[in-house]
Coordinates of all heavy atoms in Angstrom, one line a residue:
Chain B
E274 N -61.3 -10.4 137.0 CA -60.0 -10.1 137.6 C -58.9 -10.1 136.5 O -58.8 -11.1 135.7 CB -59.7 -11.0 138.8 CG -58.4 -10.9 139.4 CD -58.4 -11.6 140.7 OE1 -59.4 -12.1 141.3 OE2 -57.2 -11.7 141.4
N275 N -58.1 -9.1 136.6 CA -56.9 -9.1 135.7 C -55.6 -8.7 136.4 O -55.7 -7.7 137.2 CB -57.1 -7.9 134.5 CG -58.3 -8.4 133.6 OD1 -58.2 -9.3 132.7 ND2 -59.3 -7.6 133.7
R276 N -54.7 -9.6 136.3 CA -53.4 -9.4 137.0 C -52.4 -9.4 135.9 O -52.2 -10.4 135.4 CB -53.1 -10.4 138.1 CG -54.2 -10.3 139.3 CD -53.9 -11.4 140.3 NE -54.6 -11.0 141.5 CZ -54.1 -10.4 142.5 NH1 -52.8 -10.0 142.5 NH2 -54.8 -10.1 143.6
L277 N -51.7 -8.3 135.9 CA -50.7 -8.2 134.8 C -49.3 -8.2 135.5 O -49.2 -7.6 136.6 CB -50.9 -6.9 134.1 CG -52.0 -7.0 133.1 CD1 -53.3 -6.4 133.8 CD2 -51.7 -6.3 131.8
F278 N -48.3 -8.6 134.6 CA -46.9 -8.5 135.1 C -46.1 -8.2 133.8 O -46.1 -8.9 132.8 CB -46.6 -9.8 135.6 CG -45.1 -10.0 136.2 CD1 -44.5 -8.7 136.7 CD2 -44.4 -11.1 136.0 CE1 -43.2 -8.8 137.1 CE2 -43.0 -11.2 136.6 CZ -42.5 -10.0 137.0
V279 N -45.3 -7.1 133.9 CA -44.4 -6.8 133.0 C -43.1 -6.9 133.6 O -42.7 -6.3 134.6 CB -44.6 -5.4 132.4 CG1 -43.5 -5.3 131.3 CG2 -46.0 -5.3 131.8
D280 N -42.1 -7.9 133.2 CA -40.9 -8.2 133.7 C -39.9 -7.5 132.8 O -39.4 -7.9 131.9 CB -40.6 -9.6 133.7 CG -39.4 -10.1 134.5 OD1 -38.6 -9.2 134.8 OD2 -39.2 -11.3 134.6
H281 N -39.4 -6.3 133.3 CA -38.3 -5.6 132.6 C -37.0 -5.9 133.2 O -36.5 -5.3 134.2 CB -38.5 -4.2 132.7 CG -39.4 -3.5 131.8 ND1 -39.1 -3.2 130.5 CD2 -40.8 -3.0 131.8 CE1 -40.2 -2.6 129.8 NE2 -41.2 -2.5 130.8
S282 N -36.4 -7.1 132.8 CA -35.1 -7.4 133.2 C -34.0 -7.2 132.3 O -32.8 -7.4 132.6 CB -35.0 -8.7 133.9 OG -35.6 -9.6 133.0
I283 N -34.4 -6.8 131.1 CA -33.5 -6.5 129.9 C -33.5 -5.1 129.5 O -34.5 -4.5 129.7 CB -34.0 -7.4 128.8 CG1 -34.1 -8.9 129.0 CG2 -33.3 -7.3 127.5 CD1 -32.8 -9.6 129.1
P284 N -32.3 -4.5 129.3 CA -32.3 -3.1 128.8 C -33.1 -2.8 127.5 O -33.4 -3.5 126.8 CB -30.7 -2.9 128.6 CG -30.0 -4.0 128.9 CD -31.0 -5.2 129.0
N285 N -33.4 -1.5 127.5 CA -34.0 -0.8 126.4 C -35.3 -1.4 125.8 O -35.5 -1.7 124.6 CB -33.0 -0.8 125.2 CG -31.7 0.1 125.6 OD1 -32.0 1.1 126.2 ND2 -30.6 -0.4 125.4
C286 N -36.2 -1.9 126.8 CA -37.5 -2.5 126.2 C -38.6 -1.4 126.6 O -38.3 -0.6 127.6 CB -37.8 -3.8 126.8 SG -36.6 -5.0 126.1
K287 N -39.7 -1.5 126.0 CA -40.7 -0.6 126.3 C -42.1 -1.2 126.6 O -42.3 -2.3 126.0 CB -40.8 0.4 125.1 CG -41.9 1.4 125.2 CD -42.0 2.3 123.9 CE -43.3 3.2 124.0 NZ -43.3 4.0 122.8
S288 N -42.8 -0.7 127.6 CA -44.2 -1.4 127.8 C -45.1 -0.3 128.2 O -44.9 0.8 128.7 CB -44.1 -2.4 129.0 OG -43.8 -1.7 130.2
R289 N -46.3 -0.6 127.7 CA -47.5 0.3 127.9 C -48.7 -0.6 128.4 O -49.1 -1.5 127.7 CB -47.9 1.2 126.7 CG -47.0 2.2 126.4 CD -46.9 3.4 127.4 NE -45.9 4.4 127.1 CZ -44.8 4.5 127.4 NH1 -44.1 3.5 128.2 NH2 -43.9 5.5 127.0
V290 N -49.3 -0.2 129.4 CA -50.5 -0.9 129.9 C -51.6 0.0 130.1 O -51.5 1.0 130.9 CB -50.1 -1.8 131.3 CG1 -51.4 -2.4 131.9 CG2 -48.9 -2.8 131.1
T291 N -52.6 -0.3 129.5 CA -54.0 0.5 129.7 C -55.1 -0.3 129.8 O -55.5 -1.1 129.0 CB -54.1 1.3 128.4 OG1 -52.8 2.1 128.1 CG2 -55.2 2.4 128.6
Y292 N -55.8 -0.4 131.0 CA -56.9 -1.2 131.2 C -58.0 -0.2 131.7 O -57.8 0.6 132.5 CB -56.6 -2.3 132.3 CG -56.2 -3.6 131.8 CD1 -54.9 -3.6 131.1 CD2 -56.8 -4.7 132.0 CE1 -54.6 -4.8 130.4 CE2 -56.5 -5.9 131.4 CZ -55.3 -6.0 130.7 OH -54.9 -7.2 130.1
K293 N -59.2 -0.4 131.1 CA -60.3 0.3 131.5 C -61.7 -0.7 131.8 O -61.8 -1.6 131.1 CB -60.8 1.2 130.4 CG -59.9 2.4 130.2 CD -60.3 3.3 129.0 CE -59.9 4.7 129.3 NZ -60.4 5.7 128.4
G294 N -62.2 -0.3 132.9 CA -63.5 -1.2 133.1 C -64.7 -0.3 133.5 O -64.5 0.8 134.0
A295 N -65.8 -0.9 133.2 CA -67.0 -0.2 133.7 C -67.8 -1.2 134.5 O -67.8 -2.5 134.1 CB -67.9 0.2 132.4
L296 N -68.4 -0.7 135.5 CA -69.1 -1.8 136.4 C -70.5 -1.3 136.7 O -70.7 0.0 136.9 CB -68.3 -1.9 137.8 CG -67.0 -2.5 137.7 CD1 -65.9 -1.3 137.5 CD2 -66.7 -3.1 139.2
Q297 N -71.4 -2.2 136.8 CA -72.8 -1.8 137.2 C -73.5 -3.0 137.9 O -73.2 -4.2 137.8 CB -73.6 -1.5 135.9 CG -74.0 -2.7 135.0 CD -74.6 -2.3 133.7 OE1 -74.7 -1.1 133.4 NE2 -75.0 -3.2 133.0
G298 N -74.4 -2.6 138.8 CA -75.1 -3.8 139.6 C -74.3 -4.1 140.9 O -73.3 -4.1 141.2
K299 N -75.3 -4.7 141.7 CA -74.8 -5.1 143.1 C -74.0 -6.3 142.9 O -74.2 -7.3 142.2 CB -76.1 -5.5 143.9 CG -75.9 -5.2 145.4 CD -77.3 -5.4 146.2 CE -76.8 -5.2 147.6 NZ -77.4 -6.2 148.4
G300 N -72.9 -6.3 143.7 CA -71.9 -7.4 143.7 C -71.0 -7.5 142.4 O -70.2 -8.5 142.3
A301 N -71.1 -6.6 141.7 CA -70.1 -6.5 140.5 C -68.7 -6.2 141.1 O -68.6 -5.1 141.7 CB -70.5 -5.5 139.5
H302 N -67.7 -7.0 140.8 CA -66.6 -6.8 141.4 C -65.4 -6.9 140.3 O -65.3 -7.9 139.6 CB -66.4 -7.8 142.5 CG -64.9 -7.6 143.2 ND1 -64.4 -8.6 144.0 CD2 -64.3 -6.5 143.2 CE1 -63.3 -8.2 144.6 NE2 -63.1 -6.8 144.2
S303 N -64.5 -5.9 140.3 CA -63.5 -6.0 139.3 C -62.1 -5.8 140.0 O -62.1 -5.2 141.1 CB -63.4 -5.0 138.2 OG -63.1 -3.7 138.7
V304 N -61.1 -6.5 139.6 CA -59.8 -6.4 140.2 C -58.8 -6.2 139.2 O -58.8 -6.9 138.1 CB -59.4 -7.7 141.0 CG1 -57.9 -7.6 141.5 CG2 -60.5 -8.1 142.1
W305 N -58.0 -5.3 139.3 CA -56.9 -4.9 138.4 C -55.6 -4.8 139.3 O -55.5 -3.9 140.1 CB -57.2 -3.7 137.5 CG -55.9 -3.5 136.6 CD1 -55.8 -4.0 135.4 CD2 -54.8 -2.7 136.8 NE1 -54.6 -3.6 134.8 CE2 -54.0 -2.8 135.8 CE3 -54.4 -1.8 137.8 CZ2 -52.9 -2.1 135.6 CZ3 -53.3 -1.1 137.8 CH2 -52.4 -1.2 136.7
V306 N -54.7 -5.6 139.0 CA -53.4 -5.5 139.6 C -52.2 -5.4 138.6 O -52.3 -6.4 137.6 CB -53.1 -6.6 140.6 CG1 -51.7 -6.5 141.1 CG2 -54.1 -6.8 141.6
G307 N -51.5 -4.3 138.5 CA -50.5 -4.2 137.5 C -49.2 -4.1 138.1 O -48.9 -3.1 138.7
D308 N -48.4 -5.3 137.9 CA -47.0 -5.4 138.5 C -46.1 -5.0 137.4 O -46.0 -5.7 136.3 CB -46.7 -6.7 139.0 CG -47.5 -7.1 140.3 OD1 -48.1 -6.0 141.0 OD2 -47.6 -8.3 140.7
V309 N -45.1 -4.1 137.7 CA -44.0 -3.9 136.8 C -42.8 -4.0 137.5 O -42.7 -3.2 138.6 CB -44.1 -2.4 136.0 CG1 -42.8 -2.1 135.2 CG2 -45.4 -2.4 135.2
L310 N -41.8 -4.8 137.1 CA -40.5 -5.0 137.7 C -39.3 -4.6 136.8 O -39.3 -5.1 135.6 CB -40.5 -6.3 138.2 CG -39.1 -6.9 138.6 CD1 -38.8 -6.2 140.0 CD2 -39.0 -8.3 138.8
I311 N -38.7 -3.5 137.2 CA -37.6 -3.1 136.4 C -36.4 -3.5 137.2 O -35.9 -3.1 138.3 CB -37.5 -1.6 136.3 CG1 -38.9 -1.1 135.7 CG2 -36.4 -1.0 135.4 CD1 -39.1 0.4 135.6
G312 N -35.6 -4.5 136.5 CA -34.4 -5.1 137.3 C -33.2 -4.2 137.1 O -33.2 -3.2 136.4
K313 N -32.2 -4.6 137.8 CA -31.1 -3.7 138.0 C -30.3 -3.5 136.7 O -29.6 -2.5 136.5 CB -30.1 -4.3 139.1 CG -29.6 -5.6 138.9 CD -28.7 -6.0 140.2 CE -27.9 -7.2 140.0 NZ -28.6 -8.4 139.4
D314 N -30.4 -4.5 135.7 CA -29.7 -4.2 134.5 C -30.6 -3.7 133.4 O -30.1 -3.6 132.2 CB -29.3 -5.7 134.0 CG -28.4 -6.3 135.1 OD1 -27.4 -5.6 135.7 OD2 -28.5 -7.6 135.2
A315 N -31.9 -3.3 133.7 CA -32.7 -2.9 132.6 C -32.7 -1.4 132.3 O -33.6 -0.7 132.4 CB -34.3 -3.2 133.1
D316 N -31.3 -0.9 132.0 CA -31.2 0.5 131.6 C -32.1 0.8 130.4 O -32.4 0.0 129.5 CB -29.8 0.7 131.2 CG -28.8 0.4 132.3 OD1 -29.2 0.2 133.5 OD2 -27.6 0.5 132.1
G317 N -32.5 2.1 130.4 CA -33.2 2.6 129.2 C -34.7 2.0 129.1 O -35.4 2.1 128.1
T318 N -35.2 1.5 130.3 CA -36.5 1.0 130.3 C -37.5 2.3 130.2 O -37.3 3.2 130.7 CB -36.9 0.2 131.5 OG1 -36.1 -1.0 131.5 CG2 -38.3 -0.1 131.8
D319 N -38.6 1.8 129.6 CA -39.6 2.9 129.3 C -41.0 2.2 129.6 O -41.4 1.3 128.9 CB -39.6 3.5 127.9 CG -40.7 4.6 127.8 OD1 -41.3 4.9 128.6 OD2 -40.7 5.0 126.6
T320 N -41.6 2.6 130.7 CA -42.9 1.9 131.0 C -43.9 2.8 131.5 O -43.5 3.9 132.3 CB -42.6 0.8 132.1 OG1 -43.9 0.1 132.4 CG2 -41.9 1.3 133.3
Y321 N -45.1 2.5 131.3 CA -46.3 3.3 131.9 C -47.5 2.4 132.0 O -47.8 1.7 131.1 CB -46.6 4.6 131.1 CG -47.5 5.6 132.0 CD1 -46.8 6.5 132.8 CD2 -48.8 5.5 132.0 CE1 -47.6 7.3 133.6 CE2 -49.5 6.4 132.8 CZ -49.0 7.3 133.6 OH -49.6 8.1 134.3
E322 N -48.2 2.3 133.1 CA -49.3 1.6 133.3 C -50.4 2.3 133.9 O -50.3 3.2 134.8 CB -49.2 0.3 134.1 CG -48.5 0.5 135.3 CD -48.4 -0.9 136.3 OE1 -49.1 -1.9 135.8 OE2 -47.9 -0.8 137.3
L323 N -51.6 2.1 133.4 CA -52.8 2.9 133.6 C -54.0 2.1 133.8 O -54.3 1.0 133.1 CB -53.1 3.8 132.5 CG -54.3 4.6 132.5 CD1 -54.3 5.7 133.5 CD2 -54.6 5.3 131.1
N324 N -54.9 2.3 134.9 CA -56.1 1.6 135.0 C -57.1 2.7 135.4 O -57.0 3.4 136.3 CB -56.0 0.5 136.1 CG -57.3 -0.1 136.4 OD1 -57.7 -0.3 137.5 ND2 -58.1 -0.5 135.4
R325 N -58.3 2.6 134.7 CA -59.4 3.4 135.0 C -60.6 2.7 135.1 O -61.0 1.9 134.3 CB -59.6 4.5 133.8 CG -58.4 5.5 133.9 CD -58.5 6.4 132.5 NE -59.5 7.3 132.6 CZ -59.2 8.5 133.1 NH1 -58.1 8.8 133.5 NH2 -60.2 9.4 133.2
N326 N -61.4 2.9 136.2 CA -62.7 2.3 136.3 C -63.7 3.3 136.6 O -63.6 4.3 137.1 CB -62.6 1.5 137.7 CG -61.5 0.4 137.6 OD1 -61.7 -0.5 136.8 ND2 -60.5 0.5 138.4
L327 N -64.9 2.9 135.9 CA -66.1 3.8 135.9 C -67.2 3.0 136.6 O -67.7 1.8 136.1 CB -66.4 4.1 134.4 CG -67.4 5.1 134.2 CD1 -67.0 6.4 134.7 CD2 -67.4 5.3 132.6
L328 N -67.6 3.6 137.8 CA -68.8 3.1 138.4 C -70.0 3.6 137.9 O -70.3 4.8 138.2 CB -68.6 3.1 139.9 CG -67.2 2.7 140.5 CD1 -67.1 3.1 142.0 CD2 -67.0 1.2 140.3
L329 N -70.8 2.8 137.3 CA -72.1 3.3 136.6 C -73.2 3.4 137.6 O -74.2 4.3 137.3 CB -72.5 2.5 135.5 CG -71.5 2.3 134.3 CD1 -72.0 1.4 133.4 CD2 -71.2 3.7 133.7
E330 N -73.0 2.9 138.7 CA -74.1 3.1 139.7 C -73.4 2.7 141.1 O -72.4 2.2 141.2 CB -75.3 2.3 139.5 CG -75.0 0.9 139.3 CD -76.1 0.1 138.6 OE1 -77.1 0.8 138.1 OE2 -76.2 -1.0 138.4

Side-chain angles (χ1 to χ4, degrees):
Chain B
E274 180 164 346
N275 292 291
R276 288 180 170 267
L277 285 97
F278 180 34
V279 181
D280 185 353
H281 277 282
S282 44
I283 299 284
N285 299 315
C286 292
K287 182 178 168 182
S288 65
R289 289 290 180 272
V290 174
T291 308
Y292 268 62
K293 284 185 160 188
L296 296 87
Q297 67 187 10
K299 211 171 171 225
H302 187 196
S303 72
V304 178
W305 179 86
V306 179
D308 292 343
V309 174
L310 172 64
I311 304 175
K313 61 183 191 312
D314 302 322
D316 299 355
T318 290
D319 181 5
T320 175
Y321 197 89
E322 52 171 357
L323 171 73
N324 175 228
R325 294 170 73 93
N326 296 296
L327 194 52
L328 307 177
L329 297 178
E330 55 198 10

